[in-house]
Amino acid sequence: MRATPRLAGSLLAASAAGGLLLLAAGPAAAGGGSPGPRPTVGTAGTSFLTATVVEPGQPVRVSASTGDHLYWSFAASAGQTDRVTVTVTLPPAASRHGAATYTADVFDGLRRRQACTAGPQNATAAAGAASVRLRCTLRQIRAWAEPWSDDPLPGTYYLRLSASSLPEQDLGQRIQADVRISARNGDAQPAGAKLKSPLSPAVNPGATLPPGAAPEASPSAASSAPKPSERVKGWFSWPSSRWWWTLGGGVLAAVAAVGGYNLTRHPRHWSSPRRSPAGPGRNGQM
């Protein structure tokens, strides 16, 4: 009977030690489970097929040459509104010979260029500028769209950074491109996708009549149907476009008849030169 209190004390001590270990391991497990900073992407593709995959929020820093076309790809789901920010660090001003224009284009999976709703997609850097900044906010990704439309759909999108309108002597100089792609989640339905009124007026539903029953005309249909006298009066009312067309057609027919009669009954006579009478022969003989 004396061993029972000792056993109970051992169990209490073991449970207390286990609780302290769980409390100590809890923050460590929580800290280890949280995602760390994403690695910086340091490469870029040279075409759509070799585009470097980038996740939204992942930093990108690439060293390239002036004149190169740089490609990145990222995934976009329905309801997102993606924003692309590109900062190009230019070569030293002493080694440049003029201004240069940089462009950030975004394409969808079908290689269709997507329009930007905000931000300078094209920017011209002066000869003495140290950097140039480009931004492009895409339209909200839709869950569905018509085949003929150009609305953005879920899938892979491509970012292309290119330089144009720059002096030929500046081609090949080293530049640095910092790219940041951010995504904001929202509703996948289009903005304002709620009808305040029906697109077409309501149609009065009909009723199924038993066999042999005669349909009854509604008062509205009976009142809207024109009477025979009104229908005849509408045909012969004056003035109306029907009368003007009839009179005009009659005048044109009369003019055509007179002209045809003059051409067929009174042909134009062409005068032919008269022949001189035959004179006496050379010897004066008849």
Side-chain angles (χ1 to χ4, degrees), residues 2-19:
R2 294 179 179 178
T4 302
R6 294 180 180 179
L7 181 60
S10 302
L11 292 175
L12 290 174
S15 60

Side-chain angles (χ1 to χ4, degrees), residues 121-199:
Q121 190 176 0
N122 304 315
T124 300
S131 63
V132 62
R133 186 181 179 87
L134 308 171
R135 293 194 310 272
C136 176
T137 302
L138 295 176
R139 294 177 294 172
Q140 187 182 28
I141 307 299
R142 297 186 54 172
W144 63 272
E146 297 292 342
W148 47 262
S149 67
D150 196 19
D151 296 332
L153 295 174
T156 303
Y157 285 77
Y158 298 89
L159 169 63
R160 182 182 67 186
L161 177 63
S162 59
S164 61
S165 302
L166 73 162
E168 187 176 358
Q169 298 87 343
D170 294 345
L171 292 175
Q173 296 187 8
R174 304 301 297 176
I175 61 172
Q176 178 178 300
D178 294 312
V179 180
R180 191 79 175 186
I181 301 173
S182 58
R184 184 181 59 187
N185 296 326
D187 189 7
Q189 297 296 331
K194 183 179 180 181
L195 293 177
K196 297 182 179 179
S197 60
L199 296 179

